[in-house]
Amino acid sequence: MAMTAERELQKPGHCGDCPVRDLTLYSVANFANAAEIYELRRGVRSIRARDNIYVEGRRLEEFLTLYDGWAFRYRVLPGGTRQIFSFLLPGDSVSLSALVSETLPFSVDALTDCVVCVFDRAELSRYIEAHRPLVRKAWRSCSHDQNRLHRRLVEVGRRSAYQRVAHLAMECYDRLAHRGMAEADSFPFPLRHPHVADALGLTPIHVSRVFRELEADGVLRRRDRRIEIGDMDRLRELQALGGDGFPVDEPH
Amino acid sequence: MAMTAERELQKPGHCGDCPVRDLTLYSVANFANAAEIYELRRGVRSIRARDNIYVEGRRLEEFLTLYDGWAFRYRVLPGGTRQIFSFLLPGDSVSLSALVSETLPFSVDALTDCVVCVFDRAELSRYIEAHRPLVRKAWRSCSHDQNRLHRRLVEVGRRSAYQRVAHLAMECYDRLAHRGMAEADSFPFPLRHPHVADALGLTPIHVSRVFRELEADGVLRRRDRRIEIGDMDRLRELQALGGDGFPVDEPH
DNA sequence: CGTCGTGTTGAACTCAGTCAAGCCAGGTGG
DNA sequence: CCACCTGGCTTGACTGAGTTCAACACGACG
């Protein structure tokens, strides 16, 4: 409870009224399809911040879509270090690959309190395959996911800590803005230093230093689980150095 | 020509006789389908080592499958540094995402002399979408691609140069072995130090040092565009540290 | 009011990068 | 046959970004 004093968690109702629907796999469906999707939904589940949503390699019977909150995909290496692959925002599927493979090669944890919609994996998979527009959409999402991974690899492989942190902030900003969840000059940022570190291949200590540097430079400021933007132009510039002009999230 | 004195390039004949067919997107198709795939093929193209195959953002009318040779996907950042995303081996598609998106967010170059099979993008896309098993297959390949990217990210983000190089070697070994292109204790490895460096987020100079160290430790030895394996157990051990037990290539 | 989770600071250290020089094999041309 | 180039690789000395370790600050919570 502690983590979300600020905001009441949304509980989803009928899929036809879903506010994040345009962001999901099901967004190409028209209203009639929404009713069918709703039929396929097996339930809704709340997960508390820090709790596990899926552990690497476990057999999957369900397909999960994040309805509210933040989560992240990661792998822990022998030795205890962790690599975070991506952060999940409302509307994201826990994993598209779940549709074609029974296990996933990463774990997923809730970063904030979360609500997920639960589907039967096989059923949904069958349903999607039977509807060509859904197949296209799923495919497209998958390739967007891949693009974000490419970008992340560029960051981690070829750019300074300063640039990486700025870039991650902008990635979050853009994805949130696309969901209407960002102000012009600030946005929610529930990640702790260790999350940032594990996503970018750094140590939490260095992440702390970089944030202070970014703040000293007037670029951005991390406060109260939000980021306040100080100098958007500079941020865009930092981002562009590794950028590719391809959208961070699905266009719709 | 200089680069491939060792070996004659294969020219593909009919898709029904294709030796790398089991590795491709089309592998689920039965013989009858092979004839149809052959019908869709628009031609065959040879590319010389170091030549470009596709440049980032160019509009795609074609869909390419690598028939023979090595290639790689990469992006060049302003400043001239390069990040290599993945290496392509015979049977790999230049990019699956080409089926759903008109441009790609990376370039592709030939690493050795190559031969590619050329299809009409839209036609092939339509054909695949009309055949459910092909859709599944494409999807599966896409998620394999993603798994390899995850692994690479783990390497670059969280492991030492020594481990990264060992891991890359093993990744190549496994993929080649799966194609029947590896000996028990050696395999082709046409990458130059800069390729290894740009794939792993290192400098060519440091890659050189690491190779010498690996050789001094009796782990492996790079010679004549091949890698000779000195201590497979040690290699597997190094690989396992970042591993996830998921196959590096498609199972079939 | 103590404890836990988080973030901050400083000092020492290290892995990998940078720069610069030189090596070697293969190819080319005189 | 030698001279010279070129591309790829190696070596050494130096630098520096980021890590490690350890101590401390601080707010939220129980």
Side-chain angles (χ1 to χ4, degrees):
Chain A
M1 247 350 207
M3 316 257 75
T4 35
E6 341 151 349
R7 195 166 59 85
E8 277 304 301
L9 278 176
Q10 307 295 320
K11 283 280 182 178
H14 190 284
C15 297
D17 308 321
C18 181
V20 294
R21 196 154 156 270
D22 286 346
L23 305 159
T24 65
L25 198 49
Y26 329 112
S27 68
V28 288
N30 53 27
F31 184 80
N33 287 132
E36 289 172 30
I37 296 286
Y38 183 63
E39 278 305 307
L40 290 170
R41 198 174 77 187
R42 288 286 153 269
V44 159
R45 188 178 302 153
S46 297
I47 297 121
R48 270 192 322 205
R50 294 147 169 291
D51 281 358
N52 174 266
I53 296 178
Y54 170 78
V55 300
E56 177 175 351
R58 189 212 296 156
R59 193 192 182 82
L60 273 168
E61 308 295 347
E62 311 174 325
F63 182 90
L64 305 178
T65 299
L66 188 56
Y67 177 81
D68 194 18
W70 294 52
F72 60 100
R73 309 203 261 239
Y74 66 98
R75 185 179 305 149
V76 173
L77 318 199
T81 57
R82 175 176 70 173
Q83 177 67 47
I84 292 180
F85 297 128
S86 54
F87 296 98
L88 304 177
L89 297 181
D92 289 340
S93 300
V94 160
S95 171
L96 252 325
S97 352
L99 289 171
V100 287
S101 124
E102 302 215 309
T103 62
L104 300 172
F106 49 75
S107 302
V108 181
D109 276 7
L111 179 55
T112 66
D113 291 350
C114 287
V115 178
V116 296
C117 295
V118 184
F119 298 85
D120 181 86
R121 194 179 83 81
E123 250 177 53
L124 184 64
S125 173
R126 240 176 283 120
Y127 182 81
I128 288 176
E129 280 184 24
H131 295 77
R132 221 174 286 185
L134 286 179
V135 168
R136 298 214 123 218
K137 173 69 182 183
W139 219 334
R140 217 171 262 284
S141 297
C142 183
S143 91
H144 268 278
D145 246 43
Q146 204 169 319
N147 292 355
R148 269 217 302 282
L149 271 177
H150 282 153
R151 244 183 300 243
R152 180 63 47 81
L153 191 54
V154 167
E155 294 300 307
V156 176
R158 286 291 177 228
R159 306 184 71 230
S160 72
Y162 191 87
Q163 295 172 314
R164 289 182 220 179
V165 173
H167 188 278
L168 177 62
M170 286 317 277
E171 183 188 314
C172 289
Y173 174 77
D174 288 334
R175 295 176 69 198
L176 288 165
H178 179 245
R179 272 154 242 255
M181 293 168 69
E183 318 277 312
D185 59 352
S186 87
F187 56 93
F189 193 80
L191 320 206
R192 302 300 178 176
H193 289 174
H195 296 119
V196 177
D198 290 342
L200 302 181
L202 300 167
T203 51
I205 295 165
H206 198 59
V207 168
S208 163
R209 290 196 248 264
V210 170
F211 268 120
R212 315 223 82 241
E213 205 178 332
L214 282 162
E215 187 177 338
D217 295 349
V219 177
L220 59 76
R221 165 177 206 156
R222 180 168 158 281
R223 256 194 105 111
D224 276 349
R225 321 203 99 206
R226 298 183 67 80
I227 282 181
E228 294 161 15
I229 299 168
D231 183 346
M232 181 62 96
D233 294 344
R234 179 82 186 112
L235 273 170
R236 287 289 176 210
E237 205 179 304
L238 285 164
Q239 182 186 33
L241 294 176
D244 54 9
F246 283 74
V248 182
D249 231 320
E250 335 275 333
H252 63 238
Chain B
M1 251 347 207
M3 317 260 71
T4 36
E6 339 152 349
R7 193 166 61 85
E8 277 304 301
L9 278 175
Q10 307 294 319
K11 284 278 183 179
H14 190 285
C15 297
D17 308 322
C18 179
V20 294
R21 193 152 158 273
D22 287 346
L23 305 160
T24 65
L25 199 49
Y26 331 111
S27 69
V28 289
N30 52 29
F31 184 81
N33 287 132
E36 289 172 29
I37 296 287
Y38 182 64
E39 278 306 308
L40 292 169
R41 198 173 78 185
R42 289 285 153 269
V44 159
R45 188 177 301 152
S46 297
I47 297 122
R48 269 192 322 205
R50 293 147 169 290
D51 281 358
N52 174 267
I53 296 177
Y54 170 78
V55 299
E56 177 176 351
R58 190 213 295 156
R59 193 191 182 83
L60 272 168
E61 307 294 348
E62 311 174 324
F63 182 90
L64 305 178
T65 299
L66 188 56
Y67 177 81
D68 195 18
W70 294 52
F72 61 101
R73 309 203 262 239
Y74 67 97
R75 184 178 305 149
V76 173
L77 318 199
T81 56
R82 176 175 70 173
Q83 177 66 48
I84 291 180
F85 297 128
S86 54
F87 296 98
L88 304 177
L89 298 181
D92 289 338
S93 300
V94 161
S95 171
L96 252 324
S97 352
L99 289 171
V100 288
S101 123
E102 301 215 309
T103 63
L104 299 173
F106 48 76
S107 302
V108 181
D109 276 8
L111 178 56
T112 66
D113 290 351
C114 286
V115 178
V116 295
C117 295
V118 183
F119 298 85
D120 180 86
R121 195 180 83 80
E123 249 176 54
L124 184 65
S125 174
R126 240 176 282 120
Y127 182 82
I128 288 177
E129 281 185 22
H131 294 77
R132 220 174 287 186
L134 286 179
V135 168
R136 299 215 122 217
K137 173 70 181 182
W139 220 334
R140 216 172 264 284
S141 298
C142 182
S143 90
H144 269 277
D145 246 43
Q146 204 169 321
N147 293 355
R148 270 217 303 282
L149 271 177
H150 282 154
R151 244 183 299 244
R152 181 62 48 80
L153 191 53
V154 167
E155 294 299 309
V156 175
R158 286 291 178 230
R159 307 184 71 228
S160 72
Y162 191 88
Q163 294 172 314
R164 289 182 219 179
V165 173
H167 188 277
L168 176 62
M170 285 318 277
E171 184 187 313
C172 290
Y173 174 77
D174 288 334
R175 294 176 69 197
L176 288 165
H178 180 244
R179 272 154 243 255
M181 293 168 68
E183 317 279 311
D185 58 353
S186 86
F187 56 94
F189 192 81
L191 320 206
R192 302 296 175 181
H193 288 174
H195 296 119
V196 177
D198 289 343
L200 302 182
L202 300 168
T203 51
I205 296 165
H206 199 59
V207 168
S208 162
R209 289 197 253 263
V210 169
F211 268 120
R212 313 224 83 238
E213 204 179 331
L214 282 162
E215 187 176 339
D217 294 350
V219 176
L220 59 78
R221 165 179 205 152
R222 181 167 157 282
R223 256 196 105 110
D224 276 349
R225 320 204 99 205
R226 298 183 65 81
I227 282 182
E228 293 161 15
I229 298 169
D231 183 346
M232 182 61 97
D233 294 343
R234 179 84 186 111
L235 273 170
R236 287 288 176 211
E237 206 179 304
L238 284 164
Q239 182 187 33
L241 294 177
D244 53 11
F246 283 74
V248 182
D249 232 320
E250 336 274 334
H252 64 235

